[in-house]
Amino acid sequence: MENIEELLQGKIRRIGIAGHVNPDGDCIGSTTALFLYLRKNHPKIKVDLYLELPKQALRTLKGFGESRQTANEDHIYDLFFTCDVSSRDRIGVAGDLFEQANRTVCIDHHVSNPGFADVNHIVPDASSCAEVLTDLMALDKIDQDIAESLYTGIIHDSGVFQYSNTSPHTMRCAANLMEKGFDHNKLIDDSFNKRTFRQNRILGYALEKAEQAFDGQVVVSSISLEEMEEYEVTQQDLDMVVSQLRLTEGAEVAVFVYEKETGQFKVSLRSNSYFDVSEAAAVFGGGGHVHAAGCSGEGSADQVIARILSEIEKRLHG
Ligand SMILES: [Mn+2]
């Protein structure tokens, strides 16, 4: 596929768009961008956007205010898009609408994506789904609001152009978007750098708790539900912990485990150079990218950490 317009031939009256569960900046950025783009350039088509609530800073993006958090199951869409969704079971609230749609389209950048839609446009080399979408949109049809959403997606998944998924092409896309004139400095601070006081406190606590394994090649920390309660934070306040762990001198892999429900854990993995964390995550039914992946685990935090560390140990170079 070269352009979104290719999919809009024929009688398209209703389009649905969905992101993934527990939406991040790329998910909200790419879905709102597609929503705004279709509505601006194809005003006759009725477009609905289905999203779970993201962290506060992402709710200010234009288009988010019109998103739906529940699905009306009677709706049959002519076309249904997923953006940044790596597998069918991650669609969330709009899953039934996806199944019922006449034609489905998956736009993504996860290397683990099996291609679960009728049309699959997956670019594993891209920094973000927003970068993939930028390439599928006509530049002259992108306005300031659409550009702001796309740029948000790119900066979130590339860590403001720091991660190894940032390519010269990522920068060219970002430059084209920047020319649309939104306040990119403020955007980066508001939606990426700024932390609430509580987020800073839990980050400090998680770093204090961190331990090294395998001669410092791996750094691990965890947060329990009880600790989250004590610090008055939710799981969305924890997303900076693993990136900070990754920056430890000598560390190849960072592991951060937090409790979602009693005895149910989410494992976030990051690596710095050779280590493919998506392989280790896949052992536990998870997935992701070479340098950023995740999976789930059950039991106690120590049991979950022990299991993931033994998989990591097999893959460390020494
Ligand atoms: Mn993404």
Side-chain angles (χ1 to χ4, degrees):
M1 183 172 29
E2 300 258 305
N3 199 295
I4 288 288
E5 314 291 330
E6 287 171 34
L7 299 165
L8 306 176
Q9 310 301 322
K11 281 213 172 83
I12 305 287
R13 291 198 183 89
R14 286 191 86 116
I15 294 180
I17 304 170
H20 56 73
V21 291
N22 194 12
D24 58 7
D26 186 28
C27 173
I28 301 295
S30 54
T31 53
T32 54
L34 180 59
F35 173 76
L36 294 169
Y37 184 89
L38 292 172
R39 213 180 48 174
K40 174 184 157 70
N41 298 300
H42 299 275
K44 285 187 177 157
I45 302 177
K46 172 106 176 59
V47 189
D48 295 327
L49 172 58
Y50 295 91
L51 287 171
E52 283 183 11
L53 290 178
K55 64 180 178 184
Q56 203 62 44
L58 294 168
R59 298 183 196 178
T60 56
L61 286 178
K62 300 284 186 316
F64 178 77
E66 287 159 85
S67 68
R68 300 159 182 229
Q69 278 68 53
T70 54
N72 179 341
E73 281 162 24
D74 298 339
H75 288 165
I76 306 282
Y77 290 96
D78 299 309
L79 208 53
F80 200 99
F81 286 90
T82 65
C83 296
D84 202 38
V85 178
S86 59
S87 61
R88 165 67 189 81
D89 59 344
R90 285 181 53 78
I91 299 176
V93 68
D96 287 344
L97 297 174
F98 176 87
E99 292 300 334
Q100 292 165 17
N102 293 330
R103 196 174 185 213
T104 55
V105 186
C106 165
I107 297 174
D108 191 29
H109 69 121
H110 291 89
V111 67
S112 60
N113 194 318
F116 54 85
D118 298 328
V119 180
N120 297 287
H121 188 76
I122 300 156
V123 185
D125 290 338
S127 66
S128 52
C129 183
E131 180 181 326
V132 178
L133 265 181
T134 306
D135 284 332
L136 290 174
M137 291 177 178
L139 192 55
D140 60 350
K141 293 182 176 177
I142 296 177
D143 64 17
Q144 190 169 313
D145 292 339
I146 299 166
E148 184 166 342
S149 277
L150 290 168
Y151 194 85
T152 297
I154 293 173
I155 61 174
H156 274 259
D157 265 22
S158 67
V160 195
F161 313 111
Q162 291 180 73
Y163 303 154
S164 57
N165 62 11
T166 306
S167 69
H169 184 70
T170 311
M171 305 306 282
R172 282 182 202 107
C173 286
N176 287 336
L177 297 171
M178 203 183 263
E179 281 178 339
K180 301 291 178 178
F182 57 90
D183 187 346
H184 59 92
N185 294 318
K186 185 174 183 309
L187 186 70
I188 290 175
D189 265 351
D190 285 357
S191 106
F192 200 85
N193 290 332
K194 248 182 214 168
R195 311 282 186 226
T196 64
F197 187 64
R198 285 171 185 167
Q199 286 168 341
N200 274 334
R201 285 191 72 229
I202 195 77
L203 173 62
Y205 178 67
L207 297 177
E208 172 69 30
K209 269 186 85 178
E211 291 182 16
Q212 292 178 301
F214 313 121
D215 297 325
Q217 295 176 84
V218 181
V219 181
V220 192
S221 188
S222 67
I223 293 288
S224 68
L225 276 177
E226 208 175 300
E227 290 164 330
M228 286 166 69
E229 212 168 290
E230 194 187 321
Y231 281 78
E232 297 177 60
V233 294
T234 66
Q235 53 178 269
Q236 286 169 347
D237 296 315
L238 302 172
D239 61 355
M240 76 295 281
V241 176
V242 74
S243 13
Q244 191 58 46
L245 292 172
R246 181 185 68 84
L247 294 171
T248 311
E249 181 79 52
E252 170 58 19
V253 183
V255 180
F256 178 59
V257 173
Y258 65 85
E259 198 171 11
K260 290 170 73 175
E261 289 165 50
T262 307
Q264 305 274 350
F265 292 85
K266 169 83 205 281
V267 181
S268 294
L269 302 168
R270 298 289 184 274
S271 65
N272 281 314
S273 61
Y274 69 86
F275 197 99
D276 184 348
V277 284
S278 74
E279 275 182 23
V283 174
F284 303 99
H289 309 280
V290 174
H291 294 297
C295 59
S296 299
E298 283 180 13
S300 69
D302 286 345
Q303 287 170 332
V304 172
I305 288 170
R307 284 197 292 266
I308 191 79
L309 285 185
S310 81
E311 282 306 320
I312 289 171
E313 187 178 18
K314 290 178 196 165
R315 295 169 172 80
L316 282 172
H317 284 178

